[in-house]
Every structure is written in structure tokens, then in C-alpha cells.
Amino acid sequence: MSLVVRARRVVLPDGERAAAVHVADGRIAAVTDFGDVPSGAVTLADDEVLLPGLVDSHVHVNEPGRTDWEGFASATRAAIAGGVTTIVDMPLNSVPATTTVESLHVKRRAAEGQVSADVAFWGGAVPGNLDQLRPLHEAGVVGFKCFLLDSGVPEFPPLDDAGLRAAMTELTAFDGLLIAHAEDAEVIAAAPPPRGRSYAGFLASRPEAAEESAIEALIAAARHTGTRTHVVHLADADALPILRAARAEGVRITVETCPHYLTFAAEDVPDGATPFKCCPPIREVWHREALWAALADDDRPLIDMVVSDHSPCTPELKRLDAGDFGEAWGGIASLQLALPVVWSGARARGIGLDRVVRWMAEAPARLAGLPAKGAIAVGRDADLVAFAPEERWRVGRLEHRHAVTPYADRELHGVVRRTWLRGQLAEGAPIGRLLSRADVPQ
């Protein structure tokens, strides 16, 4: 065995217990009793819990083309510092967008030799690239992202309803996965435009009805085509009954939400505080609590996972000088902070670390088709995290390229003390690998 790590608390697929995790050739070879270890085993401190490395399936790395916003080196260092051992890179905000096989090769070449965590890739579904979906799937992307309204960048236009159904029909032919930014462009066009420093004005410009209408259209298309479908970054709790009904009738649809929707509330966002701007927006406190309830439902959890939607930009694009919500880029930087942020909220609600692991490791790995990730189990990659759940700290310096985040100076519970990637201690060196879907030959 190349490594043995033991702890009084280890979060395993069947619950939490004292255990020793034995690693050989980068994989978990055995999980034994705490005392069943050779000399030289690593023993975690009494206040530490051993978790599987998290999987963040919603990260905008932005390289190449907008590397001044983020980049593979800085993003994956931040991931490792936050206990995230695998990220899945979104197909947009980079130039070129990942909408052709050649653009996937460009992105992989840009990432090569830079990554501290493992990285997989989403493809994009946009007007005019229907003939690229199967080749991208065969090249190893884990699924396809689309927008149902303007994405904010010209190289990644949205799909109309006909384009959506055509893409979904093509994906169904090879059981591909579609993930969708679900806001309705017509509903937003009819709302008052955002202007100035008022957060209430920005919130009114992206009403709840925009999410509900788009999710209804997405469900209708999924029902018609049978496509595996996933709703990204749900903020609107009024959409939950719509999703519940769709699942009850057998529509293949899953749902994620994000740390910022589980932490902040519109009532508390100061005017001019553009680091809080994201789309869909942070909504009122009752939405936040309803999202928590949908995650924590023992019988029928409706929200499957929590992922960061890390979407950074330069400080200038956040318009920190003017605090104008209409002009600022919409996106929240949180990759390094996702685990302590979600754990802080879960802890305050009496929810255990086993649930957090389910939401932030197991479910995203399953969504992305990465069966070697997401759990401490024999045969899985030995991606491990030593986490001190009761240690308190205040958000300061981060590994992200830019420090702009609404979590700045916030006190959180939970510190990542050590991270192992495939059994190797990960300290920011570029030891990560570029991944493909599990059924693609390596």
C-alpha cells in the first residue's frame, strides 16, 4: 500500500464511522477497521473528518480567451484548497467556446500541464452545431450545456424551442445529457430593465416567472424527446412543484442549486453590492429556506446536488466603482469556499456531513458520468480530504485569480487541512489529469 489514512470519523457511502482507507496505485484498495493499519499510517487529528474529494460539476474556468478572469492554474489551486478534487469546466466564457471537437482540443491543450485537480469538460449546444454533438460526445465531454436566453457572451447564443428539441432529439440517440440555464427571455424582456445601484430593481428584472416558464418548456421538451435533462442553478422555490410533478410522471430530470442561493437572501443584499450579482438572482429568504427543505427531504429530496457555479470576472467588470447592477457582470466566485459555506448552513440546520457529501461529491460525480469519483469506496480514486468541521475562520485571501466575492470577511465553519488526489498529497502542484467520460477509452 502506498498510503493508509485513518480517522475516527470517515464519511463512507453507508454512513460515518471510524475506519482506515488503504490506497494502492492511486485507488482505494481497502477500507478496514481503524486499528487495522501498518506502521506509518496517517492518522487524522481528533477534530478532523475524512471526506471523499468533492466534485464540482459547474465551474467557469474561462481559459483560453478570458484567462484574465480565471484560468486552469488558479481555478484548480482554489479547488484543491477547498477540498474539491474534480471540476467540470463549462463550455462558455472561454474563447473559443467548447462547441466543436476542435474547440475541445484547443481547451484541453490550454489546460495541459496546469491543473492541480482533475478536470472534465462539458460541451455546448448552440444554434448550428447539431452535427457536432455526437462527435463531442465521442471525444469525451460529459454532456452539453445550453442557454434558453442570452448567455451574456456572443460566442454562445441560446437555443429557441425548435433548436432545443432538435438538440435533445440528437442527444437521445446516444443517451447524451443536456444541462440548461433555464430563464425565459420573453418574461425577462417584459420586466423592467435593471438600472443603477438598487438590488430590488435588479431582482425585479429577473422575476421568478422567468425560471418557472423556462423550466416548464424544458420539461415539455424532455417529455417529448425522452432526453436526460438537468436544470442548473435553481434559485426559484416556486419551480419545485413543477419539477416534482415532472419527476412523478417519469420525466428524466435532475436539479442543482448553489451555495449562494442557500446562504444569502435578497433582503440582506446592500444596494451597490455588485459582487452579489448572479443570474438567476439571489431571491428572498423564503426561497432560500425552501431550497434547503427540498435538499434535506428524507423521503423525496427534489434537489439532487449543490455545485458552485463559480463564474468570476475581473474586478472592473463587476463595476465596483459605480455599483451598477445593470452594468456589472453576473457571476459569483466561490469555488474554494463551497464546502465550508454549505457545511456552515447545513450545520446550523442540524444536517450532517454525510448529506453534504451526497450533494457535493456523490451526485455531481454521477451526473457527470465519473464513476471513479465521489465516494470513499474500494476501486474509486483515492481522492481524500481532511476536514475540520468545527474550526471557525474568516474569509480572507483566496486562490482564485481575483478576490471579488460576496463571501469576503464572512465567518464560516469548516477548514480543509489536507487534500489527497489519487493518493498523492495535493498542495497546488499541477498533478491533476484531464478526464473524459468513463466509457471513453483513455
Side-chain angles (χ1 to χ4, degrees):
M1 298 298 166
S2 57
L3 174 71
V4 179
V5 182
R6 66 176 182 170
R8 295 290 180 185
R9 296 177 62 191
V10 181
V11 178
L12 300 166
D14 60 351
E16 183 183 303
R17 60 181 170 85
V21 179
H22 302 249
V23 178
D25 299 322
R27 298 249 174 165
I28 296 171
V31 179
T32 65
D33 291 339
F34 179 83
D36 184 12
V37 297
S39 61
V42 175
T43 302
L44 299 197
D46 288 343
D47 67 336
E48 294 177 342
V49 183
L50 189 66
L51 308 179
L54 302 190
V55 177
D56 192 335
S57 58
H58 196 147
V59 178
H60 294 271
V61 176
N62 307 329
E63 185 176 4
R66 292 189 175 96
T67 313
D68 55 334
W69 295 18
E70 191 64 276
F72 285 104
S74 54
T76 55
R77 283 197 305 269
I80 289 296
V84 177
T85 51
T86 303
I87 67 170
V88 189
D89 172 63
M90 281 288 162
L92 72 156
N93 298 351
S94 58
V95 182
T98 316
T99 55
T100 67
V101 172
E102 177 52 36
S103 63
L104 174 64
H105 293 330
V106 169
K107 181 168 281 190
R108 290 178 69 94
R109 286 194 295 268
E112 195 73 52
Q114 290 203 73
V115 296
S116 305
D118 285 353
V119 180
F121 301 91
W122 294 105
V126 297
N129 84 326
L130 198 63
D131 64 343
Q132 288 292 310
L133 301 185
R134 185 182 288 270
L136 277 164
H137 176 80
E138 292 171 350
V141 301
V142 302
F144 296 86
K145 170 77 174 285
C146 76
F147 272 70
L148 304 184
L149 80 171
D150 182 10
S151 71
V153 292
E155 63 275 1
F156 203 91
L159 295 175
D160 61 15
D161 191 63
L164 174 67
R165 291 183 179 230
M168 293 175 83
T169 299
E170 176 68 8
L171 295 183
T172 303
F174 50 84
D175 200 30
L177 169 67
L178 183 87
I179 69 173
H181 181 127
E183 288 183 283
D184 188 309
E186 291 185 5
V187 172
I188 290 175
R195 292 192 182 95
R197 297 173 57 84
S198 167
Y199 186 76
F202 170 63
L203 186 60
S205 76
R206 316 284 295 213
E208 293 98 326
E211 287 191 75
E212 293 152 33
S213 175
I215 287 170
E216 286 174 339
L218 191 64
I219 288 169
R223 182 187 297 117
H224 176 75
T225 61
T227 310
R228 289 192 297 135
T229 306
H230 179 75
V231 177
V232 300
H233 50 48
L234 182 72
D236 171 33
D238 276 335
L240 291 169
I242 301 169
L243 290 158
R244 180 175 287 110
R247 283 191 174 180
E249 67 172 279
V251 176
R252 302 168 75 194
I253 193 161
T254 52
V255 188
E256 70 185 43
T257 193
C258 302
H260 38 281
Y261 301 130
L262 298 172
T263 302
F264 303 117
E267 295 91 336
D268 302 325
V269 177
D271 286 348
T274 53
F276 288 85
K277 180 180 177 180
C278 58
C279 300
I282 294 162
R283 302 198 184 279
E284 294 85 355
V285 65
W286 80 264
H287 287 278
R288 180 186 71 195
E289 296 309 313
L291 295 175
W292 272 109
L295 271 169
D297 187 333
D298 283 329
D299 297 324
R300 291 190 303 168
L302 185 54
I303 298 175
D304 302 274
M305 65 198 71
V306 183
V307 292
S308 71
D309 188 12
H310 178 69
S311 185
C313 65
T314 63
E316 293 76 19
L317 287 172
K318 271 295 185 185
R319 293 309 310 270
L320 302 176
D321 52 347
D324 190 316
F325 280 99
E327 296 181 358
W329 175 261
I332 287 179
S334 61
L335 176 55
Q336 184 174 337
L337 300 170
L339 172 57
V341 164
V342 174
W343 165 240
S344 295
R347 178 185 178 279
R349 292 166 175 82
I351 299 169
L353 274 169
D354 58 333
R355 295 287 197 88
V356 174
V357 165
R358 191 182 311 162
W359 304 332
M360 303 186 75
E362 294 175 12
R366 186 166 54 249
L367 178 79
L370 301 173
K373 303 295 186 180
I376 297 175
V378 173
R380 303 284 185 112
D381 285 352
D383 299 345
L384 306 170
V385 176
F387 184 62
E390 297 306 312
E391 183 175 342
R392 294 187 295 179
W393 63 290
R394 195 168 294 278
V395 176
R397 183 184 178 279
L398 299 171
E399 295 293 335
H400 305 156
R401 185 175 295 279
H402 301 291
V404 178
T405 177
Y407 298 103
D409 204 39
R410 187 178 185 89
E411 186 175 84
L412 299 172
H413 277 86
V415 172
V416 173
R417 292 188 178 156
R418 276 179 290 184
T419 301
W420 291 267
L421 180 63
R422 290 184 309 280
Q424 184 174 350
L425 191 62
E427 299 176 299
I431 62 172
R433 295 179 183 173
L434 305 185
L435 306 178
S436 296
R437 261 186 7 270
D439 59 349
V440 176
Q442 302 297 307

